[in-house]
Amino acid sequence: MDDSEATPVADEEETPEQSPLARVSGKPFVDLPKDLYIPPDALAVFLEAFEGPLDLLLYLIRRQNMDILNVDVSEITRQYMDYIGAVEAMRFELAAEYLVMAATLAEIKSRMLLPRQESEDDDEVDPRAELIRRLQQYERFKKAAEDIDELPRLERDNFSASAALPKMPSSQPHPDVDLREMLLALQGVLQRADLFTSHHVEREKLSTRERMSAILSVLRDDHFVTFESLFTPEEGKLGVVVSFLATLELVKEQLIEVVQAEVLGPIHVRARAAS
Amino acid sequence: MNEEHLLRIQAIAEAALLAAGKPLSLDQLRELFTEDERPARQVMEHVMMLLESACENRGFELKKVASGFRLQIREEYAPWVGRLFEERPQRYSRALLETLALIAYRQPITRGEIEDIRGVTVSSNIIRTLLEREWVRVVGHRDVPGRPAMYATTKQFLDYFNLSGLDQLPPLSEVRDLEEIGREIEKNMQAEIEFESPKDDDSNEQTLH
Amino acid sequence: MNEEHLLRIQAIAEAALLAAGKPLSLDQLRELFTEDERPARQVMEHVMMLLESACENRGFELKKVASGFRLQIREEYAPWVGRLFEERPQRYSRALLETLALIAYRQPITRGEIEDIRGVTVSSNIIRTLLEREWVRVVGHRDVPGRPAMYATTKQFLDYFNLSGLDQLPPLSEVRDLEEIGREIEKNMQAEIEFESPKDDDSNEQTLH
């Protein structure tokens, strides 16, 4: 997952006093991971690469081969802030959760700098313990999700077996559907997808789209057909125009290719990826 | 070619026929194998004969149909199997109706494109149901990686909804105003329920449809 | 009950399972028979064992999953059968799988509780996808302000992942309890504050239990 072996060599650019940056199981590490620089385009996928602040923290911790229980909060906080700062500098929108975590880390760090007060209320949850609890908890389910993904599942590792039905005594009844039901369902999707602002759906008349399907099914085999055969003169001028518009749209969507071997020669059409 | 090897080809052919749910030709079956292990046509023909006799005394049999071979439930068991389907069909899910509407309005359209618009994955069952009902069909494959199938509506779809053509569907701009239609449906349903409830409000059987 | 009779019940069960294409429970299988010929539960159980062994050396096998018995392609033949389908098997996002894992292991659980553990909001699309696939369902509402829905997994979820019960899920890793974490931290913090590398007498690895 990572190639950032932190080597125990001093790095001059870091803090003047040579305090260890991190302790890995008690052993001090004094240099910075070299891979902190993130190229700008990698930042674009940054937010998608992590499932949230806990996931990012786990990544930072694991990258240093640290044990969760042994987290060096100062170092992790610094790295976390670097990432967040880089993302913000690129003006990518950052989920609020990341900022909340930044504040939590900062709080833990500042508490650790203060001398411990024995008198402190025992009931108060140690924020570091709370963070570690959350990290552990999240890691369990992250692992569980990976385990579930590994389970053999239908449509990937298993396929259900079925055989065709013979002539049956009575045909299987299908549910009834009201056209309005279907339109209401469509309205729901459109509202969700906010398609009203997109002209994409409304641009072509439905008759054109229907004709596109018809033309495609004519072109199902890998053969070329003549351009003229796509038109039915009996349909009249309007029909020819619809066919023509459908052909243009199919060309534009790169679903068919049109070939003319020579100037003024016959035009041939075929599906770009016939079945 | 030894017997064990033939048995293995037979098992793979059987597996494929049971997974496909449609007839497969001899060549389609042969093409499941990589080139170096692909059985010759004669071998495959022989295997199909073996498979046929291996289905004796079972619930299904191998049938040769125009487009190839198909595994089919034995007709003598139809009376029992038929009882599986006696239950009244439930209603279609909203997901299915949304998928159908998008295929009608955006055809030819791939499953991935439907998913993009719906923002939700489309289960294979939905597509299968629509194909089985012959409301949609595959009209080609998009020339992109994976060569996904493109779906379009059928004449049966138009017939079922009493449309002579897709252009008889309301334009999308009107779909926006469907709230009114929705209210109307609700009103009608309400009326139906009220019509029935005074008699016996407990019996659910005769509501709706 | 003679052998021939058992063989017939077995063939009918096989036919029904192949017709259904989904799991059927023992009782659903028994109900295919009219009352006077309906096999007793024990007989049906015995028949299922017979069917299981009758599928040895074939392309498919009998599998017991949460909602009953299913005939499915043997996993070893998946590479060949997979070539039948042009579309790649669906992949699920980490966000979806993590949400699913939390619902599976922590059910009944609300969306807010899932978000607390994951540390991020759960998108509505994920919940909708899970509901549509019928992998999860709402089993009630928590009695807190807003009455959030509580989710649980379904039998279909178990069926899909080849499980016969929740107890077959891979075990969740252990978590060290909070008190111990507290002690550990204190020890470590102490060491850090005193600014000296500890002679780690007990390495952290062994503290797991």
Side-chain angles (χ1 to χ4, degrees):
Chain A
M1 185 171 184
D2 68 66
D3 48 355
S4 64
E5 302 282 295
T7 44
V9 176
D11 185 339
E12 307 84 340
E13 280 171 42
E14 220 353 86
T15 38
E17 86 273 62
Q18 278 300 307
S19 66
L21 285 167
R23 284 173 201 279
V24 178
S25 299
K27 284 180 237 68
F29 278 75
V30 286
D31 70 336
L32 278 172
K34 299 285 193 290
D35 64 344
L36 202 56
Y37 170 74
I38 323 165
D41 44 342
L43 268 183
V45 291
F46 167 83
L47 289 173
E48 281 162 28
F50 294 104
E51 289 296 325
L54 291 173
D55 196 26
L56 171 56
L57 276 178
L58 272 183
Y59 166 74
L60 294 174
I61 291 167
R62 292 287 171 234
R63 198 179 58 174
Q64 306 222 6
N65 292 319
M66 275 194 238
D67 183 12
I68 294 184
L69 287 187
N70 238 342
V71 169
D72 178 339
V73 174
S74 304
E75 175 56 17
I76 287 302
T77 302
R78 195 186 59 71
Q79 292 191 10
Y80 185 89
M81 295 304 188
D82 281 349
Y83 268 93
I84 298 307
V87 171
E88 285 193 318
M90 299 298 293
R91 292 170 183 269
F92 287 118
E93 210 172 311
L94 196 60
E97 294 98 347
Y98 284 94
L99 301 177
V100 173
M101 180 58 72
T104 308
L105 288 171
E107 193 205 336
I108 297 172
K109 192 175 157 187
S110 63
R111 274 217 204 188
M112 286 174 59
L113 294 175
L114 294 174
R116 271 181 358 116
Q117 291 172 318
E118 295 297 338
S119 59
E120 220 175 314
D121 207 343
D122 268 338
D123 292 346
E124 201 179 328
V125 190
D126 177 348
R128 189 170 133 156
E130 171 62 13
L131 176 66
I132 287 170
R133 188 190 64 78
R134 289 186 66 193
L135 282 169
Q136 276 203 314
Q137 194 68 274
Y138 173 67
E139 195 180 35
R140 293 175 87 191
F141 289 102
K142 182 182 165 170
K143 176 71 171 49
E146 287 163 10
D147 289 345
I148 286 180
D149 201 23
E150 294 286 304
L151 289 174
R153 64 173 185 242
L154 277 188
E155 295 168 332
R156 187 186 69 186
D157 314 291
N158 295 116
F159 301 90
S160 54
S162 61
L165 293 176
K167 245 187 278 144
M168 299 294 280
S170 63
S171 71
Q172 178 189 351
H174 287 294
D176 295 321
V177 179
D178 190 309
L179 180 60
R180 291 173 303 181
E181 258 184 282
M182 187 188 81
L183 294 173
L184 275 176
L186 176 63
Q187 187 194 31
V189 206
L190 293 178
Q191 273 165 355
R192 283 212 313 275
D194 205 20
L195 268 187
F196 294 125
T197 49
S198 145
H199 329 285
H200 202 52
V201 175
E202 274 177 286
R203 198 181 47 227
E204 306 92 21
K205 280 240 167 71
L206 274 174
S207 49
T208 313
R209 298 219 71 94
E210 189 174 28
R211 190 59 55 95
M212 285 163 68
S213 302
I215 292 174
L216 275 176
S217 46
V218 169
L219 298 177
R220 286 201 65 169
D221 339 303
D222 205 16
H223 301 306
F224 278 106
V225 306
T226 62
F227 185 60
E228 292 79 18
S229 68
L230 299 180
F231 298 90
T232 320
E234 293 77 41
E235 286 182 335
K237 205 188 282 178
L238 198 63
V240 172
V241 169
V242 169
S243 293
F244 187 64
L245 288 174
T247 312
L248 289 181
E249 186 61 31
L250 286 169
V251 172
K252 207 181 86 205
E253 290 191 17
Q254 300 193 328
L255 293 172
I256 60 172
E257 57 185 324
V258 179
V259 183
Q260 189 176 29
E262 51 188 330
V263 183
L264 296 179
I267 299 170
H268 285 92
V269 181
R270 101 174 150 177
R272 285 182 70 95
S275 51
Chain B
M1 184 147 313
N2 61 27
E3 207 176 315
E4 200 184 317
H5 191 72
L6 286 176
L7 198 60
R8 185 176 163 79
I9 301 177
Q10 180 191 319
I12 291 175
E14 181 174 58
L17 288 169
L18 289 175
K22 62 172 188 191
L24 296 175
S25 69
L26 209 60
D27 284 335
Q28 280 174 310
L29 286 167
R30 290 175 58 235
E31 272 158 25
L32 298 176
F33 298 83
T34 55
E35 250 177 276
D36 53 310
E37 57 172 17
R38 184 167 303 153
R41 276 191 74 96
Q42 296 97 306
V43 173
M44 205 69 213
E45 270 164 15
H46 180 60
V47 165
M48 294 324 275
M49 275 172 51
L50 293 176
L51 179 57
E52 184 174 9
S53 47
C55 291
E56 271 164 33
N57 289 317
R58 315 257 341 188
F60 60 105
E61 61 190 333
L62 185 72
K63 284 263 180 190
K64 182 130 181 52
V65 293
S67 44
F69 295 92
R70 174 165 77 191
L71 287 174
Q72 179 176 309
I73 311 296
R74 283 185 189 276
E75 201 166 332
E76 59 182 297
Y77 299 127
W80 288 268
V81 171
R83 292 192 193 115
L84 274 180
F85 305 110
E86 271 170 14
E87 307 153 42
R88 194 110 191 84
Q90 331 92 317
R91 296 161 64 84
Y92 283 134
S93 67
R94 193 178 172 86
L96 181 137
L97 294 173
E98 286 181 8
T99 305
L100 178 61
L102 283 169
I103 294 175
Y105 277 87
R106 268 309 273 157
Q107 59 186 278
I109 189 171
T110 65
R111 183 160 149 182
E113 289 160 355
I114 298 170
E115 289 174 346
D116 283 347
I117 298 177
R118 293 190 58 230
V120 178
T121 58
V122 172
S123 86
S124 307
N125 274 339
I126 287 180
I127 301 286
R128 198 179 312 131
T129 304
L130 290 173
L131 287 169
E132 270 171 13
R133 189 133 191 203
E134 298 189 325
W135 280 355
V136 313
R137 71 205 157 110
V138 174
V139 289
H141 294 263
R142 209 176 269 294
D143 200 8
V144 294
R147 305 189 62 252
M150 289 185 294
Y151 299 98
T153 52
T154 60
K155 189 163 173 315
Q156 286 89 325
F157 164 81
L158 295 175
D159 289 347
Y160 184 89
F161 291 107
N162 274 310
L163 305 167
S164 62
L166 276 181
D167 49 358
Q168 289 203 330
L169 283 173
L172 275 187
S173 53
E174 271 176 35
V175 173
R176 193 192 334 209
D177 304 323
L178 271 179
E179 249 120 282
E180 199 151 324
I181 302 179
R183 273 197 297 275
E184 206 177 297
I185 293 181
E186 239 152 76
K187 215 172 61 194
N188 292 343
M189 273 167 67
Q190 200 56 41
E192 270 178 63
I193 290 162
E194 278 166 16
F195 183 73
E196 295 195 354
S197 51
K199 289 177 222 150
D200 44 357
D201 37 11
D202 280 15
S203 68
N204 316 310
E205 281 95 319
Q206 64 260 62
T207 40
L208 309 186
H209 286 290
Chain C
M1 186 149 309
N2 61 27
E3 208 174 313
E4 200 184 317
H5 190 73
L6 285 177
L7 198 60
R8 186 175 162 77
I9 300 177
Q10 181 192 317
I12 292 176
E14 182 174 58
L17 288 169
L18 287 176
K22 62 173 190 187
L24 296 176
S25 70
L26 209 62
D27 284 334
Q28 280 174 310
L29 287 166
R30 290 176 58 234
E31 273 157 26
L32 299 176
F33 298 85
T34 54
E35 248 175 279
D36 53 309
E37 59 171 15
R38 183 167 303 152
R41 277 191 71 96
Q42 296 98 306
V43 174
M44 205 68 214
E45 270 165 17
H46 180 60
V47 166
M48 295 323 276
M49 275 172 50
L50 294 177
L51 179 56
E52 184 173 9
S53 45
C55 292
E56 271 164 33
N57 289 317
R58 314 255 343 188
F60 61 108
E61 63 186 336
L62 185 72
K63 177 95 187 172
K64 183 138 178 43
V65 290
S67 32
F69 294 92
R70 177 169 69 201
L71 286 175
Q72 66 185 35
I73 308 306
R74 283 186 188 276
E75 205 167 318
E76 59 185 296
Y77 299 129
W80 288 268
V81 171
R83 291 187 197 128
L84 279 176
F85 308 102
E86 290 141 2
E87 288 173 48
R88 304 261 130 251
Q90 193 155 21
R91 291 187 54 113
Y92 293 98
S93 66
R94 272 183 59 198
L96 183 135
L97 289 166
E98 288 180 11
T99 305
L100 181 62
L102 276 160
I103 296 174
Y105 286 91
R106 277 294 169 84
Q107 55 190 296
I109 189 171
T110 67
R111 186 158 153 179
E113 289 158 358
I114 297 170
E115 290 173 344
D116 281 348
I117 296 180
R118 294 193 59 231
V120 275
T121 55
V122 172
S123 91
S124 303
N125 278 343
I126 286 179
I127 299 286
R128 198 180 310 129
T129 302
L130 292 174
L131 286 169
E132 268 186 13
R133 300 232 57 175
E134 296 186 330
W135 286 352
V136 311
R137 69 202 162 104
V138 174
V139 288
H141 294 265
R142 212 176 272 301
D143 203 9
V144 294
R147 306 196 68 254
M150 288 186 295
Y151 299 97
T153 51
T154 61
K155 277 188 179 173
Q156 286 91 322
F157 158 75
L158 295 170
D159 291 348
Y160 193 84
F161 288 97
N162 274 287
L163 305 168
S164 61
L166 280 175
D167 52 352
Q168 289 203 331
L169 279 172
L172 208 50
S173 56
E174 298 255 328
V175 168
R176 285 164 280 190
D177 70 291
L178 202 51
E179 246 173 63
E180 198 200 331
I181 295 173
R183 279 197 302 274
E184 287 263 352
I185 290 171
E186 227 149 88
K187 210 174 69 191
N188 293 338
M189 270 170 73
Q190 204 56 44
E192 274 178 56
I193 288 161
E194 284 166 13
F195 204 69
E196 52 169 52
S197 45
K199 283 263 175 286
D200 53 347
D201 33 16
D202 52 355
S203 70
N204 307 303
E205 282 91 328
Q206 275 120 291
T207 47
L208 278 168
H209 49 212

